[in-house]
Amino acid sequence: MKAKALVIWGTGSGVGKSFLTAGLLRHFRRLGLRVAPFKAQNMSNHARAVAGGEMASAQWVQAQAAGVPPEPRMNPVLLKPMGERASQVILLGQVSPELSRLSWAERRAHLDGVVQEALAGLLQDYELVVIEGAGSPVERNLWPDLPNLKVAEWAKAKALLVADVDQGGSLAALYGTWALLGEHRPRLVGFILNKFRGDLELLKPAYRLLQDWTGVPVLGTLPMLGLELPEEDGFRHRPRPGPGPKVAVLRYPYASNLDEFWPLSELAHLVHARTPKEAEGAWLLILPGSRLPSEDLPWLRDFLSLIQNHLAQNKPVLAVCGGAEMLSEPILDEEGVEKRGLFPGLGLLPFQVRMEKAKTVFGRRVRLEGLTGFWGSLNGLQVEGYEIHHGQGLPLLHQEGSLLATWLHGLLENPGVQRALFGREARGLEEALQELADALERHLDLKALHRALGLFGKAKPLPSMPQSPDPPQGPLASRSPDPHDPRPGLVLLLGGAKSGKSRHAQNLAGPFATLIATAEARDEEMAERIARHRAERPPTWEILEEPLDLAGALTKARYPTVVVDCLTLWVSNLLEKGLDPLEEAKRFLEALFAPRSNEALPHSGKRVIAVSNEVGMGIVPAHPLARRYRDLLGEVNALFAREAEEVYLLVAGRALRL
């Protein structure tokens, strides 16, 4: 079955298309969809080594968000700039010298078929493909536009249009782009405003204006998020200086793979130094990769005395790939792989580098040994990284005093390296992607997007959702409840108030689950709280409201995954009715693990995810009934924990497995 497709267009470059695409991919993954990223043509010197060659870092990150293996089909054409008018063309992960020699106009005829085939393959293999556009879709001088309009046409995609509020002029940019889209306007299902700071009420009148002018709704506004992720375009990126020692990354004109240093924004006072003065006082100097070392060498010579003084003080320097090449002796490029000639290096490393046509591209896992001084703390670590280079003649790792030179990209992305050098770990990529998806789900009307894509059929307001909803429609319709998948059993989620228990339960349960809700709207504040929880749930969930009889509700549950939210209120409800919570808990567990009729399985076939507050670690309540409630809830939690396959404690949104 051919997948649905959504294309993310922007009013220009740098407005947040890459991050929005990653966040949506994670959101759709949470709903249980098999999703994949796609960008037909990317221009970037940030790339990652994957099975089959290399691909742009942005699509690599998006594949992580989607939870699928990254592959070159997701970025069939990667252009790596080499000077003002030339690019190295990476076609389906491999260097194409022939296409690299052609002009843009001559090259175009050779790309359409490759892009269309890659897209068709992804549409066949996945349920939803989220396509990132390039730049703006309304550069009319470039029409027919391959990465924006052609791919949208081939995929029959719906489209979102995003603008950067922080740059200013977002209202005009959205309206102007819509106006210039002409016959392509019907694809648009919504506008998104990005990177907003301030009072949202001042911006909201623009929603009505845009909808009145265009007929296209605004699906929401994303605030300026304090998230660091690997960047698609390092030359637009301005790192947020964090606490810690000053670390200077030397930003020569053709610096590449700057995205690998994204964790440093959390671990150090990171600066991208374009002059020696900006790098002065740094604790660590980093020479990143270079797409064109022969052109970056004259620029780097101005830093030679700074680097020498830094090393003379026994302060650390890390030189990666092209950075290490430039610190060596001559770079020889006899065949013009990058630029023909002999280029004298800075002479701080005793090696000669020769450029070869064959490109080294693969992932690496290395055990670090034999390092001394500052770098000695890395000995014994198993690290992962990747190589992408034409140059040959350097060891994989080499130390000269406090200078560490390596072909290995990604060294500082390893948590063990971060702990050894900085004493702590940066927030991992997985956590950042979760926070990004959380932000999208909090600030955008994603249910309107679901309806526009036809993913869940006709969406119904959650408060009025029937207890036995109609089967889902659209691409998910083929997923019938299967008692053997997911695995039956019990999972218990404990934690304090607002610790993230309900959200974690939702992530574990997926898009098709039955919720047994124990809360009753006895006052206005509780009614608002219940409504808020309802709005955050997937529209495909079945809702059973049952404050007392959990065992009875379990037998009515339509789906094999059942979320009980929460035991805390359930115990309170039972006490009010004079019922014994421990006896009721045993009755529920017996119902959960009771054999099904005419089945060999010794249990109900349900997977229950139970949510409960941990209330026993605070002060002793002054009232006898409150003390009895606290003790009973603790006993109920312990009873559930004894029978559970997995128990998690949620603290500040983090799930700790017990």
Side-chain angles (χ1 to χ4, degrees):
M1 178 176 62
K2 190 173 179 181
K4 301 281 185 180
L6 172 68
V7 61
I8 311 302
W9 289 332
T11 56
S13 296
V15 299
K17 296 187 295 293
S18 297
F19 281 6
L20 181 60
T21 300
L24 286 171
L25 284 161
R26 175 52 57 94
H27 164 72
F28 288 124
R29 175 189 174 187
R30 287 176 172 179
L31 296 182
L33 286 165
R34 288 183 296 109
V35 286
F38 183 79
K39 186 165 185 174
Q41 179 177 289
N42 205 333
M43 179 172 283
S44 175
N45 276 325
H46 291 181
R48 299 278 172 149
V50 298
E54 59 182 302
M55 65 187 290
S57 292
Q59 279 62 63
W60 178 86
V61 170
Q62 290 163 5
Q64 311 303 313
V68 297
E71 53 167 308
R73 283 192 308 176
M74 297 169 179
N75 172 216
V77 181
L78 173 60
L79 306 179
K80 306 185 91 169
M82 297 176 64
E84 293 296 322
R85 302 176 65 85
S87 296
Q88 184 181 65
V89 179
I90 311 296
L91 198 64
L92 288 173
Q94 303 296 318
V95 176
S96 173
E98 298 79 16
L99 290 179
S100 300
R101 287 192 288 266
L102 298 179
S103 68
W104 178 87
E106 296 170 314
R107 186 188 300 149
R108 172 63 194 274
H110 302 278
L111 301 181
D112 282 27
V114 175
V115 169
Q116 191 167 13
E117 185 176 350
L119 177 61
L122 293 175
L123 290 169
Q124 193 64 39
D125 294 345
Y126 292 90
E127 292 175 299
L128 174 66
V129 176
V130 183
I131 301 165
E132 181 189 340
S136 161
V138 293
E139 306 298 331
R140 300 294 290 256
N141 52 307
L142 301 179
W143 279 19
D145 178 320
L146 173 62
N148 289 300
L149 303 180
K150 294 290 283 185
V151 295
E153 180 185 340
W154 293 332
K156 297 181 172 55
K158 300 293 185 182
L160 294 175
L161 181 62
V162 59
D164 181 349
V165 181
D166 196 51
Q167 290 182 8
S170 56
L171 182 62
L174 288 169
Y175 180 75
T177 303
W178 172 86
L180 289 170
L181 274 170
E183 66 271 23
H184 300 280
R185 291 177 201 157
R187 295 198 186 281
L188 275 180
V189 297
F191 298 127
I192 291 175
L193 294 146
N194 191 26
K195 303 181 188 178
F196 180 72
R197 10 178 165 218
D199 183 358
L200 185 59
E201 293 305 313
L202 298 176
L203 185 63
K204 282 187 175 177
Y207 293 12
R208 181 63 181 270
L209 289 172
L210 280 166
Q211 184 154 1
D212 287 348
W213 294 341
T214 67
V216 178
V218 175
L219 299 189
T221 297
L222 287 170
M224 186 71 76
L225 299 174
L227 294 177
E228 290 289 338
L229 289 168
E231 284 276 349
E232 176 181 60
D233 186 348
F235 288 91
R236 278 195 174 82
H237 181 51
R238 296 295 179 267
R240 297 181 180 91
K246 182 177 179 179
V247 175
V249 175
L250 307 192
R251 282 283 295 269
Y252 15 92
Y254 296 99
S256 65
N257 290 81
L258 293 167
D259 60 300
E260 65 179 287
F261 305 116
W262 67 277
L264 294 179
S265 289
E266 293 185 34
L267 300 172
H269 179 81
L270 178 63
V271 297
H272 284 181
R274 295 168 180 79
T275 66
K277 186 172 180 58
E278 290 178 324
E280 286 178 0
W283 165 69
L284 170 64
L285 293 180
I286 296 177
L287 282 70
S290 170
R291 181 75 285 279
L292 213 52
S294 58
E295 293 291 329
D296 282 335
L297 262 169
W299 185 95
L300 188 60
R301 287 190 193 283
D302 290 341
F303 285 76
L304 179 56
S305 62
L306 174 82
I307 297 170
Q308 289 172 325
N309 290 336
H310 196 85
L311 293 171
Q313 298 174 56
N314 204 32
K315 293 165 73 175
V317 175
L318 175 64
V320 181
C321 198
E325 292 176 1
M326 292 188 287
L327 293 186
S328 300
E329 293 173 354
I331 299 174
L332 180 61
D333 190 348
E334 297 172 300
E335 300 187 58
V337 175
E338 294 182 344
K339 183 178 180 181
R340 192 183 305 275
L342 179 68
F343 306 95
L346 299 188
L348 300 182
L349 292 171
F351 303 105
Q352 294 186 359
V353 176
R354 180 185 298 273
M355 294 295 169
E356 296 186 0
K357 285 184 177 179
K359 193 172 189 179
T360 300
V361 181
F362 54 79
R364 279 275 203 174
R365 180 173 292 171
V366 181
R367 185 177 178 84
L368 301 179
E369 298 288 358
L371 301 175
T372 61
F374 171 81
W375 301 107
S377 62
L378 303 183
N379 286 328
L381 292 179
Q382 189 93 3
V383 299
E384 293 185 353
Y386 53 100
E387 293 186 54
I388 301 180
H389 54 90
H390 283 286
Q392 300 295 331
L394 296 174
L396 179 63
L397 283 114
H398 178 79
Q399 186 176 353
E400 288 275 338
S402 59
L403 166 62
L404 181 63
T406 181
W407 288 123
L408 192 69
H409 292 282
L411 183 66
L412 294 175
E413 292 180 301
N414 286 268
V417 172
Q418 296 168 11
R419 286 194 303 272
L421 300 184
F422 297 91
R424 59 194 178 93
E425 291 181 24
R427 175 171 41 188
L429 178 59
E430 180 65 19
E431 184 178 344
L433 289 168
Q434 290 285 68
E435 288 190 31
L436 178 59
D438 288 345
L440 266 61
E441 291 170 1
R442 190 161 53 246
H443 295 287
L444 303 182
D445 183 3
L446 296 180
K447 290 177 187 174
L449 181 59
H450 299 167
R451 291 192 293 271
L453 290 171
L455 291 176
F456 303 113
K458 229 179 227 186
K460 298 173 183 175
L462 286 176
S464 61
M465 183 176 288
Q467 291 190 347
S468 298
D470 295 332
Q473 303 170 24
L476 299 177
S478 60
R479 295 189 172 195
S480 57
D482 180 354
H484 303 283
D485 182 20
R487 187 176 70 252
L490 176 63
V491 177
L492 178 61
L493 305 182
L494 300 170
K498 305 301 289 184
S499 60
K501 303 183 300 297
S502 296
R503 180 171 293 280
H504 193 64
Q506 181 175 316
N507 291 343
L508 290 177
F512 300 116
T514 296
L515 172 70
I516 303 177
T518 62
E520 294 181 290
R522 300 183 182 183
D523 56 55
E524 190 172 317
E525 188 275 337
M526 181 57 80
E528 290 178 3
R529 187 181 291 262
I530 291 171
R532 193 162 58 245
H533 275 279
R534 282 173 173 165
E536 292 172 354
R537 293 176 199 135
T540 46
W541 276 21
E542 175 191 27
I543 311 298
L544 301 179
E545 295 183 356
E546 178 49 65
L548 298 171
D549 188 9
L550 291 190
L554 185 67
T555 63
K556 300 174 186 175
R558 175 169 174 252
Y559 290 109
T561 296
V562 177
V563 176
V564 177
D565 196 354
C566 65
L567 299 182
T568 317
L569 289 171
W570 178 61
V571 169
S572 175
N573 296 338
L574 292 170
L575 280 175
E576 287 186 352
K577 297 294 183 182
L579 299 170
D580 185 344
L582 289 174
E583 290 303 316
E584 291 298 316
K586 291 174 185 175
R587 190 165 75 88
F588 174 76
L589 292 171
E590 287 172 2
L592 171 60
F593 293 107
R596 291 180 291 170
S597 59
N598 303 321
E599 294 282 356
L601 289 174
H603 42 60
S604 66
K606 302 290 188 185
R607 180 183 187 229
V608 169
I609 302 167
V611 175
S612 186
N613 276 29
E614 178 52 71
V615 300
M617 296 188 291
I619 60 174
V620 177
H623 194 278
L625 180 59
R627 289 196 293 273
R628 174 167 168 72
Y629 168 73
R630 178 202 60 180
D631 295 346
L632 278 170
L633 181 57
E635 291 182 69
V636 167
N637 287 345
L639 190 60
F640 270 67
R642 281 198 295 272
E643 301 296 332
E645 294 180 354
E646 301 172 56
V647 181
Y648 294 88
L649 178 65
L650 275 291
V651 180
R654 302 291 297 272
L656 309 176
R657 185 166 181 170
L658 304 182

PDB file of all heavy atoms in Angstrom, residues 40 102 140 208 254 393 537 636:
ATOM      1  N   ALA A  40      14.827  15.382  -1.008  1.00  0.00           N
ATOM      2  CA  ALA A  40      15.294  15.023  -2.342  1.00  0.00           C
ATOM      3  C   ALA A  40      16.716  15.489  -2.587  1.00  0.00           C
ATOM      4  O   ALA A  40      17.555  14.740  -3.097  1.00  0.00           O
ATOM      5  CB  ALA A  40      14.353  15.615  -3.390  1.00  0.00           C
ATOM      6  N   LEU A 102      29.476  18.667 -13.714  1.00  0.00           N
ATOM      7  CA  LEU A 102      28.458  19.360 -14.505  1.00  0.00           C
ATOM      8  C   LEU A 102      27.938  20.594 -13.768  1.00  0.00           C
ATOM      9  O   LEU A 102      27.959  20.658 -12.545  1.00  0.00           O
ATOM     10  CB  LEU A 102      27.287  18.415 -14.792  1.00  0.00           C
ATOM     11  CG  LEU A 102      27.587  17.157 -15.615  1.00  0.00           C
ATOM     12  CD1 LEU A 102      26.314  16.335 -15.788  1.00  0.00           C
ATOM     13  CD2 LEU A 102      28.185  17.513 -16.969  1.00  0.00           C
ATOM     14  N   ARG A 140      10.490  31.109  -8.297  1.00  0.00           N
ATOM     15  CA  ARG A 140       9.866  30.832  -9.600  1.00  0.00           C
ATOM     16  C   ARG A 140      10.882  30.717 -10.724  1.00  0.00           C
ATOM     17  O   ARG A 140      10.630  30.066 -11.744  1.00  0.00           O
ATOM     18  CB  ARG A 140       8.838  31.928  -9.927  1.00  0.00           C
ATOM     19  CG  ARG A 140       7.699  32.065  -8.920  1.00  0.00           C
ATOM     20  CD  ARG A 140       6.804  30.843  -8.892  1.00  0.00           C
ATOM     21  NE  ARG A 140       6.004  30.689 -10.078  1.00  0.00           N
ATOM     22  CZ  ARG A 140       4.693  30.973 -10.157  1.00  0.00           C
ATOM     23  NH1 ARG A 140       4.049  31.424  -9.095  1.00  0.00           N
ATOM     24  NH2 ARG A 140       4.038  30.785 -11.267  1.00  0.00           N
ATOM     25  N   ARG A 208      -6.053  34.960  12.462  1.00  0.00           N
ATOM     26  CA  ARG A 208      -7.318  35.249  11.782  1.00  0.00           C
ATOM     27  C   ARG A 208      -7.080  35.957  10.451  1.00  0.00           C
ATOM     28  O   ARG A 208      -7.749  35.669   9.447  1.00  0.00           O
ATOM     29  CB  ARG A 208      -8.191  36.116  12.706  1.00  0.00           C
ATOM     30  CG  ARG A 208      -9.554  36.472  12.106  1.00  0.00           C
ATOM     31  CD  ARG A 208     -10.385  35.222  11.861  1.00  0.00           C
ATOM     32  NE  ARG A 208     -11.667  35.546  11.282  1.00  0.00           N
ATOM     33  CZ  ARG A 208     -12.763  35.805  12.010  1.00  0.00           C
ATOM     34  NH1 ARG A 208     -12.695  35.796  13.325  1.00  0.00           N
ATOM     35  NH2 ARG A 208     -13.905  36.062  11.417  1.00  0.00           N
ATOM     36  N   TYR A 254      35.507  26.634   4.779  1.00  0.00           N
ATOM     37  CA  TYR A 254      34.927  25.389   4.283  1.00  0.00           C
ATOM     38  C   TYR A 254      34.859  24.328   5.378  1.00  0.00           C
ATOM     39  O   TYR A 254      34.943  23.131   5.103  1.00  0.00           O
ATOM     40  CB  TYR A 254      35.713  24.885   3.066  1.00  0.00           C
ATOM     41  CG  TYR A 254      35.628  25.839   1.904  1.00  0.00           C
ATOM     42  CD1 TYR A 254      36.660  26.732   1.644  1.00  0.00           C
ATOM     43  CD2 TYR A 254      34.488  25.879   1.109  1.00  0.00           C
ATOM     44  CE1 TYR A 254      36.568  27.648   0.601  1.00  0.00           C
ATOM     45  CE2 TYR A 254      34.388  26.786   0.068  1.00  0.00           C
ATOM     46  CZ  TYR A 254      35.431  27.667  -0.182  1.00  0.00           C
ATOM     47  OH  TYR A 254      35.324  28.564  -1.217  1.00  0.00           O
ATOM     48  N   GLY A 393      47.102   8.889   4.620  1.00  0.00           N
ATOM     49  CA  GLY A 393      48.453   9.153   5.110  1.00  0.00           C
ATOM     50  C   GLY A 393      48.535   9.461   6.590  1.00  0.00           C
ATOM     51  O   GLY A 393      49.635   9.531   7.144  1.00  0.00           O
ATOM     52  N   ARG A 537      -4.567  12.837  24.789  1.00  0.00           N
ATOM     53  CA  ARG A 537      -4.570  11.427  24.410  1.00  0.00           C
ATOM     54  C   ARG A 537      -4.760  11.251  22.905  1.00  0.00           C
ATOM     55  O   ARG A 537      -5.399  12.072  22.242  1.00  0.00           O
ATOM     56  CB  ARG A 537      -5.709  10.693  25.128  1.00  0.00           C
ATOM     57  CG  ARG A 537      -5.524  10.606  26.623  1.00  0.00           C
ATOM     58  CD  ARG A 537      -6.737   9.946  27.257  1.00  0.00           C
ATOM     59  NE  ARG A 537      -6.784  10.251  28.684  1.00  0.00           N
ATOM     60  CZ  ARG A 537      -7.865  10.615  29.337  1.00  0.00           C
ATOM     61  NH1 ARG A 537      -9.015  10.729  28.692  1.00  0.00           N
ATOM     62  NH2 ARG A 537      -7.807  10.876  30.628  1.00  0.00           N
ATOM     63  N   VAL A 636      -0.998  -1.196  48.047  1.00  0.00           N
ATOM     64  CA  VAL A 636      -1.521  -1.513  46.711  1.00  0.00           C
ATOM     65  C   VAL A 636      -0.393  -1.421  45.670  1.00  0.00           C
ATOM     66  O   VAL A 636      -0.256  -2.295  44.805  1.00  0.00           O
ATOM     67  CB  VAL A 636      -2.692  -0.569  46.356  1.00  0.00           C
ATOM     68  CG1 VAL A 636      -3.038  -0.678  44.867  1.00  0.00           C
ATOM     69  CG2 VAL A 636      -3.911  -0.896  47.207  1.00  0.00           C
TER      70      VAL A 636
END
